[in-house]
Amino acid sequence: MTFIKWILFLVLSAIWGSSFILMKEGMNVLSPYQVAALRIFSAGFVLLPFFIKAWKQIPKNKIVIVLLSGLVGNFIPAFLFCLAETKIDSSIAGILNALTPLFTIIIGMLFFNIHANIIKISGVFIGFIGLLLLFTGGGKIDFSNISYSLLILLATLMYGINVNMVGKHLQEIGSLNIATVAFGLLVIPSLIILFYTGYFKFQFTHKDFLLSTGASCLLGVMGTAIATVLFYRLLKKAGTLFASMVTYGIPIVAVLLGLLRNEKITLQIIVSLFVILLGVYIVNAANKNPSLFKKQKGM
């Protein structure tokens, strides 16, 4: 069980760690609205063959929650991230995205009767400190575009809501079924957005257009459809807090990509990686007993 959790953690870190590059590549030609819509559409399209079976296996009283999960956990954040990355760089986006575990704790304690002890909270903060060290290792960070940074803050807040919602209300439903129905229901809204933003007016044989479309579709298939299924599996096996700690694995992928591109990797960056992994380890160890979903006494 522990081995599977860490495999899922590493795979998700690799997929989502590459998402910023794919978003930037997509917006070389397409608008942020088109990239986000194409991302959700391609995710839903690749899962359509499983839709009818998945629909039948989801209790009717859970359909609304599944749809909300798709909207809050993927659809709206996809647009918020693309809009934000038109003005801020990936380092800022990465730092702000790491607030997901903090929002997971806050939302869980306020609205889902979830208990997070001091050890788990300490693990989250240690991981966040490591993330800050990682992104300050390369130089100065500019927070000049505050309004666009707030878009990512809103997205991470939604991630925190979705993690708790899935963990509490969709625990008994298969991961593939949740993702299939959620994205399947969002295919038509995504198509409408693509139509009204002029996507179908592009010259489909143009090389740059094809590259941007390909990057956006790859982002949808791998970074949304497949990654969401894997994330839901991790969520059920490891609990909400450990699952949300995947956001700390994302910068590790960025460092590895930097090595492949012959970028300078400082001692500070290496140290930060150990700090991040320490935070993940502390949360994982504290998450074994008691269960994260244990209700607080007296509630």
Side-chain angles (χ1 to χ4, degrees):
M1 183 68 72
T2 301
F3 177 75
I4 294 176
K5 288 194 303 184
W6 282 103
I7 290 296
L8 290 172
F9 178 90
L10 293 173
V11 171
L12 283 168
S13 297
I15 293 174
W16 279 331
S18 305
S19 64
F20 295 116
I21 296 175
L22 293 174
M23 272 188 273
K24 291 288 188 182
E25 194 66 34
M27 287 188 287
N28 282 338
V29 173
L30 305 177
S31 72
Y33 298 99
Q34 291 167 342
V35 171
L38 199 56
R39 175 181 185 174
I40 300 300
F41 170 78
S42 59
F45 184 79
V46 77
L47 292 173
L48 278 181
F50 311 101
F51 185 82
I52 295 178
K53 182 179 179 181
W55 178 270
K56 292 179 179 179
Q57 293 183 359
I58 293 180
K60 295 301 179 284
N61 63 333
K62 298 288 186 179
I63 293 295
V64 173
I65 298 177
V66 171
L67 177 58
L68 283 175
S69 176
L71 288 170
V72 175
N74 289 279
F75 189 81
I76 298 175
F79 287 90
L80 294 175
F81 266 94
C82 284
L83 286 170
E85 287 205 29
T86 61
K87 294 294 182 181
I88 64 177
D89 56 37
S90 59
S91 64
I92 299 295
I95 290 174
L96 296 176
N97 185 63
L99 293 173
T100 299
L102 298 182
F103 281 121
T104 299
I105 293 174
I106 295 170
I107 296 298
M109 294 181 70
L110 290 178
F111 301 105
F112 290 87
N113 294 335
I114 291 175
H115 174 66
N117 59 37
I118 189 64
I119 298 177
K120 296 173 185 175
I121 296 174
S122 298
V124 172
F125 276 104
I126 289 173
F128 185 68
I129 290 172
L131 192 61
L132 290 177
L133 287 173
L134 176 64
F135 283 111
T136 55
K140 182 181 178 181
I141 297 178
D142 181 16
F143 281 94
S144 58
N145 294 293
I146 298 297
S147 60
Y148 287 88
S149 298
L150 291 176
L151 294 177
I152 296 184
L153 281 177
L154 179 58
T156 56
L157 173 63
M158 290 184 173
Y159 286 155
I161 294 173
N162 183 55
V163 166
N164 282 287
M165 184 167 59
V166 171
K168 187 174 181 65
H169 297 292
L170 302 177
Q171 186 73 12
E172 75 284 2
I173 301 175
S175 305
L176 180 60
N177 293 335
I178 296 174
T180 298
V181 173
F183 291 122
L185 294 173
L186 295 172
V187 164
I188 293 179
S190 300
L191 269 177
I192 293 173
I193 292 173
L194 288 172
F195 177 78
Y196 279 101
T197 56
Y199 173 80
F200 297 104
K201 295 180 181 179
F202 279 100
Q203 185 178 352
F204 276 60
T205 57
H206 195 278
K207 179 182 177 181
D208 291 337
F209 169 80
L210 291 175
L211 288 174
S212 291
T213 296
S216 302
C217 288
L218 181 61
L219 179 63
V221 174
M222 293 297 299
T224 302
I226 294 177
T228 298
V229 173
L230 295 178
F231 180 71
Y232 286 154
R233 286 182 62 85
L234 178 63
L235 182 61
K236 293 176 182 182
K237 289 181 178 295
T240 58
L241 194 53
F242 180 80
S244 67
M245 291 284 284
V246 169
T247 53
Y248 293 140
I250 293 174
I252 298 177
V253 176
V255 171
L256 294 176
L257 292 175
L259 286 171
L260 293 176
R261 294 182 177 184
N262 296 319
E263 294 179 359
K264 183 180 180 181
I265 305 300
T266 65
L267 178 61
Q268 181 176 342
I269 290 177
I270 300 300
V271 171
S272 69
L273 295 183
F274 284 99
V275 176
I276 291 170
L277 292 177
L278 175 62
V280 176
Y281 174 79
I282 290 174
V283 170
N284 185 48
N287 203 39
K288 291 180 180 179
N289 287 301
S291 172
L292 182 63
F293 291 105
K294 182 180 179 180
K295 292 186 177 181
Q296 297 182 34
K297 294 180 179 181
M299 300 192 74

